[in-house]
Amino acid sequence: RWVTSGDAGTKFFHAHATIRHKKKFITFLEDQTGSLLSNHSIKASMLWESYKERLGQSEFQTMLLDLHSLLSTSEDLGCLETPFTHQEIDRVIASLPSDKSPSPDGFNTYFIKKYWPIKEDFYQLCEAFFSGQICLQSINGSYITLIPKCDGATKISEFRPISLLNTSMKIIIKLLANRLQSVIQKLIHKNQYSF
């Protein structure tokens, strides 16, 4: 039945979506004493404190490694400093998956691909990023959502956080990753490639 009418706007689809929503909904959270709590503000506070501890800021300590002995000098890194071309941006847009969930700005990559006449805005954004004339804090917002690692998850440790970035940041990150990927083998020893 799912194969024939799975994603059509039928009662079957909506019933399936409701069941999935109920499975993913965090009804209870277990605290340190083993008590199950259902109050929304208490659950939110528990999650905030837990992830604030895990993702908190760390103090920088003096580096004891001699990086010059670990890294080899590479002279051919000029490609990292050249401005992004329109073709490079177009390739990144075309390579992004179309079926991902919308980002905090409300758009997914399908929208960007479908209405690519807005490309001039993205070209300007990438140029502003490259020249350092953009406030990254204004476009670097994200939603953090919790994905249960198992059915019936009630402990905070049984949830995996993922971050949903704005589409514009995904594009910039992909541009940077593609550039770095072209020279990474010159910078990192072959024993470290898997990392």
Side-chain angles (χ1 to χ4, degrees):
R1 191 167 177 193
W2 182 255
V3 172
T4 58
S5 60
D7 58 353
T10 62
K11 287 183 182 180
F12 173 73
F13 171 78
H14 290 288
H16 188 72
T18 303
I19 291 168
R20 283 194 62 170
H21 176 72
K22 287 182 180 178
K23 281 184 180 177
K24 304 292 183 199
F25 191 75
I26 303 173
T27 310
F28 298 102
L29 273 181
E30 189 176 317
D31 65 5
Q32 293 86 357
T33 64
S35 302
L36 292 177
L37 305 171
S38 63
N39 183 296
H40 179 74
S41 58
I42 294 173
K43 292 187 298 186
S45 175
M46 285 174 56
L47 290 166
W48 171 256
E49 290 302 321
S50 173
Y51 287 107
K52 189 169 80 168
E53 275 180 31
R54 289 190 215 177
L55 304 173
Q57 297 178 352
S58 61
E59 298 287 330
F60 178 74
Q61 298 174 356
T62 307
M63 188 180 312
L64 302 174
L65 299 172
D66 180 18
L67 290 179
H68 296 293
S69 66
L70 295 174
L71 299 174
S72 58
T73 305
S74 181
E75 303 295 328
D76 189 26
L77 298 177
C79 65
L80 296 176
E81 297 179 336
T82 58
F84 300 119
T85 64
H86 292 188
Q87 294 81 13
E88 195 175 7
I89 297 167
D90 291 343
R91 276 195 307 271
V92 165
I93 296 291
S95 72
L96 291 173
S98 300
D99 59 349
K100 298 295 182 181
S101 60
S103 53
D105 59 13
F107 301 110
N108 63 5
T109 49
Y110 177 74
F111 174 83
I112 304 297
K113 289 178 181 182
K114 183 80 172 166
Y115 298 101
W116 192 227
I118 62 172
K119 63 185 171 187
E120 293 302 322
D121 293 331
F122 278 97
Y123 294 156
Q124 290 174 6
L125 173 77
C126 293
E127 288 169 13
F129 171 78
F130 185 81
S131 63
Q133 298 174 347
I134 193 167
C135 173
L136 285 178
Q137 191 172 4
S138 65
I139 62 170
N140 197 18
S142 64
Y143 289 143
I144 295 177
T145 188
L146 300 175
I147 306 297
K149 296 177 186 176
C150 59
D151 289 336
T154 57
K155 297 179 183 176
I156 295 175
S157 62
E158 296 174 337
F159 291 94
R160 180 175 54 95
I162 62 168
S163 180
L164 305 174
L165 294 173
N166 282 323
T167 307
S168 52
M169 280 307 294
K170 288 180 188 175
I171 293 168
I172 290 171
I173 289 168
K174 186 71 172 170
L175 284 166
L176 293 172
N178 287 350
R179 288 254 177 113
L180 189 58
Q181 191 173 19
S182 66
V183 297
I184 196 79
Q185 293 182 349
K186 298 175 186 176
L187 301 174
I188 296 177
H189 193 273
K190 64 181 178 181
N191 295 342
Q192 299 295 316
Y193 288 165
S194 63
F195 299 108

